[in-house]
Amino acid sequence: MSSPELVNWLSQARIAEARSQALAQGCPLIAVLEDLSGVAPDLFVEGLGSLFRYPVKPMPALSALSAEFDVLSYPECIQRGLACGTDAEGQLWLVFADPFDTELESWLACRIARPHRSALAHRDDIVAFLARQEEQLRAMHGLSHEQDGGTSGDEQIEDITLARINDDESQVVRLVNSTLYDALKLQASDIHLECDAGCLYIKYRIDGVIVQVGQVNGQDLAEQVVSRVKVMAELDIAERRIPQDGRFKVRVKGREVDFRVSVMPNIFGEDAVLRLLDRQALTEASQALRLDSLGLDETSISQVRLLASKPNGMLLVTGPTGSGKTTTLYATLTEVHTGQDKIITIEDPVEYRLPRVLQIPVNEKKGLTFAKGLRSILRHDPDKIMVGEIRDEETAQIAVQSALTGHLVFTSVHANNVFDVLGRFMHMGVDPYSFAAALNGIVAQRLLRMSCAHCAIDVEPEQELLHGLGLNQLDLRTWRFRAGQGCGVCRGTGYKGRRAVVEVLVMNDVLRELIASKVSVARLKEEARQSGMRPLRLQALEWVSRGETTLQEVMRVIG
C-alpha cells in the first residue's frame, strides 16, 4: 500500500472501527491503526502526514535536532511522547506521533509560547531520540560529579540539572532548584520569594519589571522554601528576627552561576531576594561589549569616548540599582584597553571577566574593602582604575586623589541624575574644588524596555500621558506612537529587550568654577543646557516619536 492509498484507506469508518478496538484492548488508537494497515512504519507515518498535512521527520532528521529541554522538560517529553528540538537554522520543532490526540494539541497550545513548527514521526523513533538524550543527560550529570571532585577549596557547588530536578525526592529542594533553573532560562535578574499569610509568592524581575510566576500554599512549606535558600547561602536558619545576607553558587549546564541572597523578616515570616550573576554568559557578552552595542545614540557614544580617552581624571556613571551602570563601565573599559596601559579594577563582585586586566573582588569578611583595596592598587603602578562603586567618604576621597595624581578613574555612584552626584560627594565631605578639578564628566542612565517588534501596532496616545509629559502643546503629527499587544515572543508583556538611555555632562572650566563656588543646582542646570547636555527625558521621548518605546514606559522609568 502506497502513501496515497493509505490516505484513502484511513476513512472515518476505519478510524471509528480502530477506536472501538483501541478502547476494548486498552491501547492507543495509533497503534491499532498501524497494525490494521499492515504497512511499513515509515509509509504509515508518511500517510498520516499527508492526511493531516504535517511534515514528517524520519529518524535521521529527528537525530539532527538539538534537544530543547528548556522549552519542554525531559519528563514532560517522556510523559507526552514527543520530541522538542531546534534544527540547524534555529527553527523550533515539536515532533509527536499521534495526530489524533487532540488533548495534546490543546496542551501544547497553552504550554508553548515560543514560535514553533509541528511534525510527525514514528513513536519508536521518538522513543529512541529521547533515550539518546537521556544518555547524554546522564553523561553530563556524571561529568559534573567529576568536576566537583576536582575542585579545590571548601566551597561546595551544587549541580542543577533537569535529571536531578526530576529525580529529587524532596518537594522543597525540587521547588527551589526548578525556581533557580527557570529564572536562568527566562534571563531574570532577581528572584523574589515573598511570604504572605499562608502562602509564598515566587516572582522574577525580567527586563526591570517584577512578574509573578508561582505561588506556594501552606505556611509550613513556605518557611521550608526560605530555610532551604538560607541553608544554600550558609545563613542561620534559626535566626528569623534580623536581616541576613549571603551568597552561594550552583552549576547549570556546566557553568557556574552566583546568587547573592538577602533575607528580611516580615510579619508573616521571611522574604528572600536572590540576585543572579551568570559569570560565563556575562564574560562571553563582554568579548563583544562596546558602547555602540548598548544601544546608545551616536552623540552620547562620542561624548563618553571623549571622556574615557583623557589621560587622567574621573569618569562617573550614575543611576539607580539595575540601570546598567556596571555594563557601561565595562564597555568603556573594553574600548580603551589597548594592552599598553595597566588597568586594575576593584569590584563587589567581579561580574565580567576582562582579559589582561587585574580584577580584585571585595571581601569585607577578610578586611578587603573598596577603600583598602584602592590604597593597595595605587602602589601597583596602574594607569587606569575602575572602582565598582563609591559608597563611603574614605573611598570617595581616595578616588578623587587618584584622579588628581595622574590616574584615569572609572567609577559609579548611586544617584538619580548628574546633579544629584554633586550633592552626594559634598555630603561625603569631598572638597568641592578638588572634586571639580578631578571630574572629567558624569554619565547618568536608565534602561528602557523596547516595544516588541513582533506584536507592536500603531496606537493613539493617551491625552493624560501627553499632558503629564508636557507634549500636549507640541505638533505630534510626525510622531509614530506604537505599542506591543502581547505575544509569545514577549511573554504577553508587549516589550522585548532593553536599551540604555543616557545623559552626559562633560565638564568645562565654567562648570568647574560653578561647582567649586557651590552655586545652586538651578544655575548648574542652566549652564549644562547651554553647554549641550541632552536630558534623559528628551532622548527617551525621541525613541517614543520613532515608535521604539511607549509613553507609559518613559513615565515608569524616568517620570
Side-chain angles (χ1 to χ4, degrees):
M1 187 185 302
S2 64
S3 180
E5 292 173 338
L6 181 62
V7 171
N8 294 329
W9 179 81
L10 287 168
S11 62
Q12 292 292 335
R14 189 83 62 182
I15 293 173
E17 176 188 352
R19 183 171 282 111
S20 299
Q21 292 187 28
L23 289 172
Q25 299 172 10
C27 58
L29 168 63
I30 194 76
V32 173
L33 280 174
E34 184 175 356
D35 289 340
L36 291 176
S37 68
V39 300
D42 54 344
L43 287 178
F44 180 74
V45 175
E46 286 182 10
L48 288 179
S50 300
L51 178 64
F52 289 92
R53 298 182 180 179
Y54 280 121
V56 173
K57 291 279 186 186
M59 193 61 204
L62 195 59
S63 300
L65 295 180
S66 176
E68 290 288 348
F69 293 131
D70 286 346
V71 178
L72 280 180
S73 68
Y74 177 78
E76 287 176 320
C77 290
I78 287 289
Q79 180 183 0
R80 300 284 178 170
L82 55 86
C84 177
T86 52
D87 59 20
E89 288 73 34
Q91 173 67 56
L92 178 66
W93 287 90
L94 298 178
V95 186
F96 51 92
D98 190 353
F100 299 99
D101 190 350
T102 56
E103 192 273 335
L104 175 63
E105 294 181 11
S106 301
W107 180 80
L108 286 173
C110 298
R111 182 69 174 78
I112 306 297
R114 182 172 160 186
H116 62 273
R117 295 186 62 187
S118 299
L120 288 181
H122 195 273
R123 60 186 184 279
D124 291 342
D125 291 345
I126 293 177
V127 169
F129 173 82
L130 293 175
R132 189 172 303 166
Q133 301 307 315
E134 182 183 19
E135 292 175 1
Q136 294 179 6
L137 285 174
R138 293 187 184 278
M140 289 299 296
H141 183 48
L143 178 61
S144 298
H145 276 298
E146 292 177 11
Q147 290 174 343
D148 278 345
T151 55
S152 59
D154 298 330
E155 187 175 24
Q156 297 295 320
I157 303 178
E158 181 171 352
D159 280 291
I160 297 181
T161 64
L162 291 166
R164 292 194 67 174
I165 292 173
N166 182 52
D167 295 340
D168 206 303
E169 295 181 358
S170 170
Q171 178 186 3
V172 174
V173 174
R174 191 164 60 245
L175 175 61
V176 172
N177 287 350
S178 62
T179 299
L180 302 181
Y181 189 92
D182 290 342
L184 282 165
K185 181 176 68 175
L186 295 174
Q187 297 179 331
S189 61
D190 301 85
I191 302 171
H192 290 247
L193 304 176
E194 300 180 356
C195 190
D196 203 347
C199 65
L200 181 76
Y201 297 106
I202 301 175
K203 302 178 181 180
Y204 296 156
R205 185 180 293 277
I206 303 173
D207 287 341
V209 178
I210 292 181
V211 180
Q212 182 175 330
V213 296
Q215 177 177 334
V216 177
N217 294 319
Q219 189 69 31
D220 291 342
L221 186 56
E223 291 177 357
Q224 291 177 41
V225 170
V226 177
S227 295
R228 169 60 182 168
V229 172
K230 292 169 71 174
V231 168
M232 296 175 74
E234 298 182 351
L235 302 178
D236 185 359
I237 61 173
E239 180 57 72
R240 298 184 179 181
R241 297 165 296 178
I242 61 173
Q244 297 188 67
D245 296 317
R247 60 181 62 193
F248 64 88
K249 289 184 180 180
V250 299
R251 185 179 289 114
V252 180
K253 295 184 177 180
R255 68 174 188 259
E256 293 180 6
V257 181
D258 288 329
F259 289 85
R260 284 186 284 176
V261 181
S262 174
V263 178
M264 189 75 65
N266 70 12
I267 59 175
F268 298 110
E270 291 178 296
D271 283 14
V273 175
L274 291 72
R275 168 66 59 90
L276 282 73
L277 184 61
D278 187 349
R279 295 178 186 273
Q280 180 173 327
L282 292 174
T283 300
E284 292 170 354
S286 70
Q287 296 173 358
L289 188 61
R290 298 179 63 85
L291 288 171
D292 46 14
S293 69
L294 303 181
L296 305 182
D297 62 283
E298 290 297 329
T299 302
S300 298
I301 291 175
S302 300
Q303 290 175 325
V304 176
R305 284 174 175 165
L306 174 65
L307 296 174
S309 65
K310 302 283 186 181
N312 51 60
M314 178 186 291
L315 171 59
L316 275 170
V317 181
T318 187
T321 302
S323 59
K325 300 185 297 295
T326 304
T327 302
T328 299
L329 284 174
Y330 272 110
T332 308
L333 270 182
T334 302
E335 292 202 353
V336 301
H337 185 24
T338 62
Q340 298 177 341
D341 294 324
K342 179 74 171 182
I343 301 178
I344 306 178
T345 74
I346 180 164
E347 310 165 60
D348 183 25
V350 174
E351 296 188 10
Y352 296 80
R353 179 66 186 95
L354 297 176
R356 298 173 294 146
V357 172
L358 174 56
Q359 296 177 269
I360 305 169
V362 166
N363 190 338
E364 294 187 357
K365 291 183 178 179
K366 300 295 184 180
L368 179 55
T369 62
F370 275 113
K372 188 173 182 179
L374 188 51
R375 289 186 187 276
S376 300
I377 285 173
L378 294 176
R379 297 191 290 268
H380 213 70
D381 189 29
D383 296 294
K384 297 179 176 64
I385 303 169
M386 190 187 94
V387 183
E389 182 183 345
I390 292 181
R391 299 174 179 172
D392 53 63
E393 178 181 345
E394 187 179 5
T395 307
Q397 296 280 6
I398 301 171
V400 169
Q401 290 302 316
S402 303
L404 291 173
T405 54
H407 304 91
L408 182 59
V409 179
F410 301 85
T411 187
S412 70
V413 64
H414 282 87
N416 290 325
N417 53 59
V418 295
F419 303 103
D420 286 349
V421 172
L422 309 178
R424 285 293 305 276
F425 274 81
M426 300 306 105
H427 180 72
M428 287 188 284
V430 177
D431 175 58
Y433 182 83
S434 299
F435 179 65
L439 189 61
N440 291 339
I442 306 174
V443 179
Q445 74 177 60
R446 299 289 191 277
L447 291 177
L448 284 178
R449 294 182 297 170
M450 297 291 100
S451 297
C452 177
H454 292 80
C455 63
I457 61 173
D458 293 336
V459 296
E460 285 293 327
E462 298 179 15
Q463 293 302 315
E464 183 178 349
L465 286 175
L466 292 176
H467 181 74
L469 289 165
L471 300 177
N472 54 322
Q473 304 298 325
L474 301 180
D475 183 3
L476 304 178
R477 287 177 294 180
T478 60
W479 288 42
R480 188 183 185 189
F481 296 96
R482 290 174 60 80
Q485 302 304 294
C487 64
V489 175
C490 62
R491 301 184 302 275
T493 63
Y495 298 95
K496 181 65 176 177
R498 292 191 293 176
R499 285 174 56 188
V501 56
V502 302
E503 62 182 10
V504 185
L505 177 64
V506 180
M507 296 299 294
N508 56 34
D509 292 339
V510 176
L511 284 169
R512 287 190 173 92
E513 184 177 347
L514 293 174
I515 293 173
S517 303
K518 298 183 180 180
V519 301
S520 66
V521 173
R523 178 71 181 89
L524 285 171
K525 288 183 177 180
E526 180 183 350
E527 176 58 33
R529 283 194 295 267
Q530 292 178 4
S531 64
M533 191 190 82
R534 302 170 66 239
L536 283 170
R537 195 169 71 95
L538 176 61
Q539 297 181 62
L541 290 176
E542 289 177 359
W543 290 1
V544 174
S545 70
R546 297 192 296 265
E548 297 176 16
T549 189
T550 64
L551 291 172
Q552 290 86 346
E553 181 68 3
V554 175
M555 286 288 288
R556 183 186 72 86
V557 176
I558 298 176

